[in-house]
Amino acid sequence: MSDANEPTGAVEPDAGTASAGTAGAGTAGGPAAATGAAGSAGADTPSGAGAPSGAATANNPAGAPDPAGSAPGRRVRVVLVDDHRMFRTGVQAEIGQTERTGVEVVGEAADVDQAVTVITATRPEVVLLDVHLPGGGGVEVLRRCSPLMADAEQPVRFLALSVSDAAEDVIGVIRGGARGYVTKTITGTDLVDSIFRVQDGDAVFSPRLAGFVLDAFASTDAPPVDEDLDRLTQREREVLRLIARGYAYKEIAKQLFISVKTVESHVSAVLRKLQLSNRHELTRWATARRLV
């Protein structure tokens, strides 16, 4: 979605508001220090937040406590940070029924500035953070919220929730201070379980991601950090790859849901930071690092 159409950060959204979200959640293996993935945060969950715990619902006809990750009476305050409004709506519909899930969504944001404002104002226990955001990406949110993460009395913890399963994205946000990383194929039940684990201070990853996180941080022959690449924001890296693959500015704008002018600004920033002169040099630079 276009960044220009996103609202300013919404604080304390109405928990009873329902909308159609993303595709319905499928079945998946539950997280055990890592979270299973299969099915996205669905929107077919009823929207009312007033149903008593254990009551029968469309997704829980037997009326059993749902999901298993939330013990009776437990509560966790959560902020959703994602630049796609429909995805936020779907997650809100799936996990935001506080009486059933124990999750209270206290704010939403669509870009870096909104995220920092809402997180600072609401001081949630857990932030569900997308990796790719206008304004510098999830890594920039983590950098600007580092004092909140370091608060001994009331720490704000971050769980990355992204469509990307690229190693560099995972390593980037974990290095920035996130407590875990799960992909958007996760089920609603597993997502709630992951949120409570992160609230408790656990590290939570989708199984495949956990493997290369361990490899990157524990292996003695792990590749060195590319300082040049680290100068770029997540969005600039996306634009860099697409430019290197030969995409025109209009095609990049359409694929990333941003304006052509924004694409031009990102390209200029990439060229400046990498001290390159044109897109041909940029393509050679990216190819040499196997980023294409």
Side-chain angles (χ1 to χ4, degrees):
M1 287 189 182
S2 171
D3 299 335
N5 293 331
E6 289 296 344
T8 55
V11 181
E12 297 290 348
D14 182 0
T17 301
S19 341
T22 55
T27 59
T35 301
S40 62
D44 54 351
T45 305
S47 63
S53 177
T57 66
N59 288 337
N60 185 21
D66 175 36
S70 56
R74 286 199 65 182
R75 291 289 185 269
V76 57
R77 299 170 70 254
V78 172
V79 164
L80 306 179
V81 180
D82 193 287
D83 61 342
H84 290 85
R85 187 199 305 270
M86 186 172 292
F87 180 76
R88 297 198 312 270
T89 301
V91 173
Q92 164 77 358
E94 180 72 13
I95 72 172
Q97 300 177 48
T98 308
E99 292 302 316
R100 181 175 65 87
T101 65
V103 176
E104 179 186 2
V105 178
V106 297
E108 298 181 8
D111 59 34
V112 169
D113 288 339
Q114 290 177 15
V116 174
T117 298
V118 173
I119 293 166
T120 302
T122 59
R123 298 296 293 265
E125 282 89 25
V126 177
V127 177
L128 289 180
L129 179 67
D130 192 12
V131 173
H132 301 146
L133 294 168
V139 171
E140 179 64 12
V141 175
L142 291 164
R143 186 187 69 78
R144 291 169 60 179
C145 290
S146 57
L148 300 180
M149 289 190 282
D151 188 329
E153 297 295 326
Q154 189 182 353
V156 176
R157 296 188 169 102
F158 287 79
L159 173 62
L161 175 62
S162 176
V163 69
S164 171
D165 61 359
E168 66 191 60
D169 287 339
V170 180
I171 301 304
V173 296
I174 298 306
R175 186 187 299 149
R179 295 293 304 172
Y181 194 117
V182 294
T183 60
K184 289 182 177 179
T185 54
I186 193 171
T187 66
T189 299
D190 285 347
L191 181 57
V192 171
D193 182 73
S194 298
I195 290 169
F196 277 98
R197 288 173 183 261
V198 168
Q199 181 192 27
D200 290 338
D202 292 344
V204 180
F205 297 91
S206 294
R208 193 176 75 83
L209 307 186
F212 61 68
V213 168
L214 291 173
D215 290 343
F217 284 98
S219 176
T220 56
D221 58 353
V225 174
D226 189 325
E227 293 183 0
D228 289 332
L229 190 60
D230 265 5
R231 294 191 185 102
L232 306 182
T233 66
Q234 295 295 333
R235 182 66 88 185
E236 288 168 353
R237 295 183 193 188
E238 289 179 313
V239 172
L240 164 66
R241 285 195 188 87
L242 294 174
I243 286 289
R245 291 171 184 169
Y247 283 72
Y249 285 5
K250 288 183 179 179
E251 294 172 322
I252 296 173
K254 183 176 181 181
Q255 183 158 335
L256 299 182
F257 301 99
I258 58 180
S259 68
V260 173
K261 184 175 180 180
T262 301
V263 174
E264 292 173 350
S265 297
H266 285 315
V267 172
S268 296
V270 170
L271 293 174
R272 183 182 69 255
K273 290 179 180 181
L274 299 180
Q275 298 182 4
L276 302 174
S277 301
N278 53 55
R279 66 181 296 165
H280 300 294
E281 291 184 3
L282 186 153
T283 299
R284 287 197 295 271
W285 187 93
T287 302
R289 286 162 174 77
R290 300 180 180 179
L291 299 176
V292 180

